[in-house]
Each structure stands twice: as structure tokens, then as C-alpha cells.
Amino acid sequence: MRDTLIQVFLKKNSELNLSALRDEKSVEIKHINDSLHIKELWIIRPWMRVSDVWTGGWFPLLPLAMSYPETQFVWIDSVRKKTVAVNAVIEQLWIKNAHVLWTRIEEYQWEQFDVITARAVAYSDKLLKWSYPLLKKGGVFLFMKQKIEEERELLLSLCKKYKLSLQQEYEYQLFPEDIERVIYVLKKN
């Protein structure tokens, strides 16, 4: 399935310019492998509803949906071309546990999720302001970021404001010379 996802992504990317990555190895390492680091946290369970916000639609949504077929995944984005592309891929790959909503996250208030993921997008203050209402009490945010101390300090101050607790900082690199990356696990109290 991984190879098929890579091929489909590269084809759609050549049509829509969704990512600067243009070769199989880069997509596998920098998109798929990066997305799958969430599995190392052992947080996602079969009964959960997971929302991925603003992250280009493909990653981490599709690798996670493919890895957790009993978990429901919802991707929310306001960019029409991305949502159309992701919906087409979901149908093409017969992924039955994921769907896409074309809307602005701050306008979507109809349901709450057990887990919200966000990969390499926006500063934490904007992410929390707009996605906080979508997270259930006791649920967790998984923010995938480049490890930058200023971002961490901002996040810690926002935890107080939003009554969140920082549960874990999972640090990793995709290859030896890669940037330092981190997944912040924030629990809504």
C-alpha cells in the first residue's frame, strides 16, 4: 500500500503542486515515515475519532488511516483543490475510515475528536485558538513541529491559558543530518 500511496501522491502532486517533494525516496522518508512516527506514541486506538487539521491533506492523515483501519479519521481544510484531491485518493485507495471536510477549522463546530493532529503548520497559538473547541475533554493534541525552543516556550505558556498539560515531547530525526523534530502531546484537562 505504501508504494501505491507514493505513486498516487506523485501523480497528484505533479498536477496540483501540493508539495515540493518530487521523488519517491523523499516522499517516503519526509512524508510517510515522518507521519508514522505518531505510532511510536501508542495513543491512537481503534474506537477513536482523529482529526487532522491544515496539513496538506495527505500526511499524516492517509498513512495513519491505512495503519489504523478501525479508527475514524477526518481531515479538515479550507483549500478546495486539496480537499478534492484527498477525497479522490481516499476513493482510489479504498480507504474506508477517512473522509475530508472542506471548511475552515474555526467554523467547524459540529463534533469533537479524541485526537487532533497537526503537522508542520502554523504557530501553536493559532492552532490552539482554532482547534481547541474540536478536542474532547481528556483528548490529546499531537503537534508535529520542528524543535525550536521559542515554539516550545510559547506552547508551555498556552498550556496554562487553555488548561492543557504537556504529556510528552517525542523527539526524533528522519535521517542523521535531518532537522530536530518533535511531537508535542498535549492533553485537554
Side-chain angles (χ1 to χ4, degrees):
M1 240 355 210
R2 180 184 287 237
D3 292 337
T4 304
L5 179 59
I6 291 169
Q7 294 308 314
V8 170
F9 173 79
L10 289 171
K11 182 175 184 328
K12 288 286 184 191
N13 194 37
S14 69
E15 298 166 3
L16 299 173
N17 194 28
L18 300 167
S19 168
L21 302 181
R22 305 275 188 232
D23 64 275
E24 292 177 17
K25 193 70 172 167
S26 294
V27 171
E28 180 174 24
I29 293 171
K30 293 184 178 179
H31 283 325
I32 295 175
N33 291 353
D34 187 27
S35 298
L36 293 175
H37 271 276
I38 286 177
K39 291 177 68 174
E40 300 296 321
L41 301 170
W42 296 94
I43 290 173
I44 298 174
R45 301 283 184 251
W47 50 267
M48 291 182 164
R49 291 188 48 76
V50 178
S51 179
D52 184 32
V53 295
W54 287 347
T55 53
W58 298 81
F59 308 104
L61 173 78
L62 294 181
L64 290 176
M66 293 164 72
S67 297
Y68 296 99
E70 302 298 318
T71 304
Q72 293 300 308
F73 291 87
V74 177
W75 180 58
I76 302 170
D77 199 286
S78 63
V79 180
R80 179 84 171 138
K81 78 173 185 175
K82 291 179 185 179
T83 60
V84 168
V86 175
N87 266 329
V89 171
I90 286 171
E91 287 181 27
Q92 182 177 352
L93 297 178
W94 294 39
I95 299 172
K96 302 295 184 196
N97 62 325
H99 70 277
V100 178
L101 299 174
W102 175 41
T103 187
R104 298 181 61 81
I105 189 168
E106 61 271 28
E107 294 172 3
Y108 185 76
Q109 303 296 313
W110 296 289
E111 64 182 315
Q112 290 187 314
F113 298 92
D114 301 291
V115 176
I116 294 178
T117 64
R119 179 176 170 258
V121 296
Y123 283 105
S124 297
D125 56 342
K126 291 185 174 100
L127 277 171
L128 285 173
K129 177 181 177 183
W130 291 325
S131 60
Y132 183 83
L134 299 179
L135 188 66
K136 290 180 179 177
K137 185 174 183 178
V140 294
F141 287 108
L142 301 177
F143 288 172
M144 303 177 78
K145 300 280 196 173
Q146 180 176 348
K147 186 179 175 192
I148 300 172
E149 188 57 31
E150 293 82 15
E151 177 81 13
R152 183 181 184 277
E153 293 302 318
L154 172 62
L155 195 58
L156 289 173
S157 69
L158 292 167
C159 282
K160 293 175 188 171
K161 176 180 178 180
Y162 287 98
K163 295 183 174 75
L164 298 167
S165 57
L166 179 59
Q167 300 286 303
Q168 185 177 356
E169 296 175 63
Y170 173 80
E171 297 177 12
Y172 65 101
Q173 289 180 291
L174 297 175
F175 47 89
E177 294 81 34
D178 188 30
I179 61 171
E180 292 183 11
R181 299 169 189 263
V182 62
I183 301 174
Y184 295 106
V185 180
L186 308 166
K187 183 176 181 180
K188 186 174 183 180
N189 300 319

